[in-house]
Amino acid sequence: RMIIKSDGKVGIGTTSPDEKLHISGGASPYLIVQNSAVGKTYLGFKSGFGGVVGCESGNNFGIWAGDVTTTNPDIFVAGTDGKVGIGTTSPATLLHITGGKLQVENDTDASIRMKDSQYGYMDMTLDGGKLSYDFQTTGTVMTIDGSVGSGGKVGIGTASPRGRTHILSGSLNSSVSLNANTDTFVVERDNNVGITMVKPDGKSGRITWASPGSDSHAEIQSAYDDGSLNISNLLANSYIKFNLGTTPDNIMHISSSGFIGIGTEDPKE
């Protein structure tokens, strides 16, 4: 039943409409807008700029900002599988955004959570200039520190990287003071620790030092064919030194001429 009050308010299913149109019914009342033929159906809202919602062919649903429905909708919902497109009418995933950015904002920390039935959830959180990846089962696995004064650091296994890249397995040994000249890459473990390089058969492995003036001025190379370990200083008039002690003391010196000095840095033969 419908009633029209003296103030112009219309009630359907109610005799006391609170708004211009007030619909009241059972547990889930709803309003149906239907085209008499197969085609597009829209419901518009007007307040200054306005907006439109509507169904198009294939039971696709759209939301338009403004009252223009001749262009693609700003938000598109595919009628076949429920995929949502923002900026696209061909969403390839449950939520497909094109032509812009997704912003997640909070006063303290902002997070995006991904979850599966086997391993639980993973949170990607930005807090205080640090971007962390936290798993439900293993905790924080990686942190990117972009806070002011950090210089940009990456921590794997630690939320407080002490080097430009810091890989931690086990508990952090905060009593160790890192050398500022050698903290670019830090590998730490509360047990035996090491770095392994794996290569195919027939190939060599190497560590190379380079600079703007030289693509390769020193290297350590493991040669596969003859099983040798080569230590090379490739600059002219270069040398190799072996030092011991805290000073440190030079105990052996190999010159570019091939002379070896023990206890001297100027071997003559």
Side-chain angles (χ1 to χ4, degrees):
R1 295 173 180 252
M2 182 176 72
I3 186 172
I4 302 176
K5 304 288 287 186
S6 59
D7 57 4
K9 294 179 180 178
V10 178
I12 300 177
T14 176
T15 58
S16 302
D18 295 324
E19 301 296 339
K20 293 291 184 182
L21 176 62
H22 185 162
I23 301 174
S24 179
S28 302
Y30 57 90
L31 175 67
I32 296 177
V33 180
Q34 183 175 349
N35 195 331
S36 59
V38 177
K40 303 177 179 181
T41 303
Y42 302 106
L43 178 62
F45 304 87
K46 189 70 174 179
S47 176
F49 189 63
V52 175
V53 296
C55 285
E56 298 190 307
S57 59
N59 292 325
N60 296 325
F61 179 80
I63 300 176
W64 289 259
D67 55 4
V68 179
T69 57
T70 56
T71 60
N72 290 330
D74 300 290
I75 300 176
F76 173 88
V77 182
T80 54
D81 51 19
K83 293 177 179 177
V84 178
I86 300 178
T88 176
T89 56
S90 301
T93 56
L94 287 178
L95 176 61
H96 185 164
I97 301 174
T98 185
K101 298 178 181 179
L102 174 65
Q103 181 165 321
V104 179
E105 186 173 346
N106 195 17
D107 291 338
T108 53
D109 55 66
S111 297
I112 296 177
R113 173 167 291 188
M114 291 164 276
K115 185 176 182 180
D116 68 16
S117 58
Q118 184 175 5
Y119 294 103
Y121 62 80
M122 189 278 284
D123 288 337
M124 183 172 64
T125 304
L126 180 64
D127 184 13
K130 291 184 178 182
L131 180 65
S132 62
Y133 297 82
D134 304 282
F135 282 81
Q136 181 179 4
T137 53
T138 56
T140 302
V141 296
M142 185 168 74
T143 298
I144 301 174
D145 187 356
S147 59
V148 176
S150 69
K153 297 178 180 179
V154 176
I156 299 175
T158 174
S160 302
R162 296 196 292 159
R164 186 71 73 165
T165 300
H166 187 172
I167 300 175
L168 173 65
S169 176
S171 58
L172 182 70
N173 190 342
S174 57
S175 64
V176 177
S177 299
L178 301 181
N179 188 319
N181 295 319
T182 58
D183 66 352
T184 304
F185 184 70
V186 180
V187 180
E188 183 176 358
R189 188 185 182 195
D190 56 3
N191 205 317
N192 299 325
V193 64
I195 298 175
T196 300
M197 293 189 290
V198 180
K199 58 183 180 56
D201 289 339
K203 302 297 181 179
S204 63
R206 69 184 65 196
I207 300 174
T208 300
W209 287 263
S211 65
S214 173
D215 293 337
S216 176
H217 59 73
E219 67 180 27
I220 300 174
Q221 179 185 13
S222 171
Y224 177 86
D225 295 335
D226 58 7
S228 64
L229 178 66
N230 303 315
I231 302 175
S232 306
N233 194 336
L234 306 176
L235 297 178
N237 300 318
S238 59
Y239 53 86
I240 297 175
K241 294 170 63 175
F242 294 85
N243 300 319
L244 283 179
T246 58
T247 308
D249 296 324
N250 178 216
I251 62 167
M252 186 166 71
H253 184 107
I254 304 175
S255 71
S256 59
S257 302
F259 297 152
I260 299 176
I262 299 177
T264 176
E265 296 186 8
D266 187 23
K268 303 301 183 183
E269 55 182 352

